[in-house]
Amino acid sequence: MSLSARRVTLPTITPIVLQKRVIKVYSEDETSRALEVPSDITARDVCQLLILKNHYIDDHSWTLFEHLPHIGLERTMEDHELVIEVLSNWGMEEENKLYFRKNYAKYEFFKNPMYFFPEHMVSFATETNGEISPTQILQMFLSSSTYPEIHGFLHAKEQGKKSWKKIYFLLRRSGLYFSTKGTSKEPRHLQFFSEFGNSDIYVSLAGKKKHGAPTNYGFCFKPNKAGGPRDLKMLCAEEEQSRTCWVTAIRLLKYGMQLYQNYMHPYQGRSGCGSQSVSPMRSISENSLVAMDFSGQKSRVIENPTEALSVAVEEGLAWRKKGCLRLATHGSPTASSQSSATNMAIHRSQPWFHHKISRDEAQRLIIQQGLVDGVFLVRDSQSNPKTFVLSMSHGQKIKHFQIIPVEDDGDLFHTLDDGHTRFTDLIQLVEFYQLNKGVLPCKLKHYCARIAL
């Protein structure tokens, strides 16, 4: 038996070379940064690059926004979306932009679904036994077999006209429908309005001004491919909570479990910028620090929260007094007056302080960064030059609290509660209300800042 050798020709493997593109990303203050990125880079990857380049702390709220100024629309880009694919849908003449900023509300519906799905807007396609909790509603959205129906009245812009009409709408997994007869849900009275598989959902930034909308709570469906204003399907809700419910439900029905995966695994991307190629960023959580007492021979953890708060306040006051004294006594004979002036101006360097912005601008900034409980900023009062205003989000509404100066025995303090609780400067005030609810509806949690790239 003879053996014969055969020559086997192996197929050649051609490496796939990803094309690189240069994209420009803008920040709140209109500074921008150009990035050379691969063609398969995701929105989350771009955020991760900017976080690393600018040494920001990653708290998973950094987000890429698609901004369309010519039609006054904006949307949150989902973390898994391919950036170059989105840019390829832009028209050559359009001055569209990508913005990089925080969005604390991006996945808030996974944490607090009760704020996003009010009972009067939710019903079920099939009979259910007993009450359905907001968490169960969320699970239904993520399931492929069931879904809750979102329903209610919306103003719709009539196609090719400037007029708006108030109609009863119903959201199902197959798309958005409106009733031709009052609030009837019978199939013969339901007419198809829009699907969301090949469309993206945008929020209107200036609906009243640009489109003659009856309220400021507009949103619309825009086809993925480039199209003119005539292709937009404009809608308008009566209040922010209603708009948030519609937009959140559409996001959940469109992306389903992909959104949950983005929320649970924020570093997983398609390009080389995911968790496999970058070291994990340091993050700060409420449980990452503990109070320590070093006054004795041995250090100890302070477990009593009242004692911990007392120590923290004392250390903060001691640090601030040293800092102010050092600034005041540096080559100046008038130490006390300069110390007082330093206390009054020390807040200006803080990221949460916004100098001389209007009430409307404050509301715009907070809405942009998410109507989550505790999002806040501090600003100068326009009505009273000697006072400040704390603007904050609670219950998907923005509330404003005046910070009033109080003089006592020649010293000036700041207060939110008519002098019952006094603070030597705004930093001390903010730090206190980050730890204590006090007279506020909730604690201050996320500061609203303009960041530069």
Side-chain angles (χ1 to χ4, degrees), residues 6 19 81 90 105 110 160 181 287 321 351 365 430-431:
R6 284 187 181 182
Q19 272 191 324
E81 282 191 82
W90 291 0
F110 285 123
K181 189 175 181 180
N287 301 319
K321 283 177 183 176
L365 281 171
V430 167
E431 288 173 349

Side-chain angles (χ1 to χ4, degrees), residues 130 132 154 225 283 331 342 415:
I132 302 293
L154 289 169
K225 299 301 176 185
S283 64
T342 303
T415 182

Side-chain angles (χ1 to χ4, degrees), residues 415-441:
T415 182
L416 271 175
D417 56 6
D418 297 325
H420 295 292
T421 315
R422 303 177 183 185
F423 306 94
T424 56
D425 55 54
L426 293 183
I427 296 179
Q428 192 186 49
L429 181 145
V430 167
E431 288 173 349
F432 176 83
Y433 287 107
Q434 284 176 319
L435 295 169
N436 306 274
K437 173 181 161 183
V439 293
L440 299 177

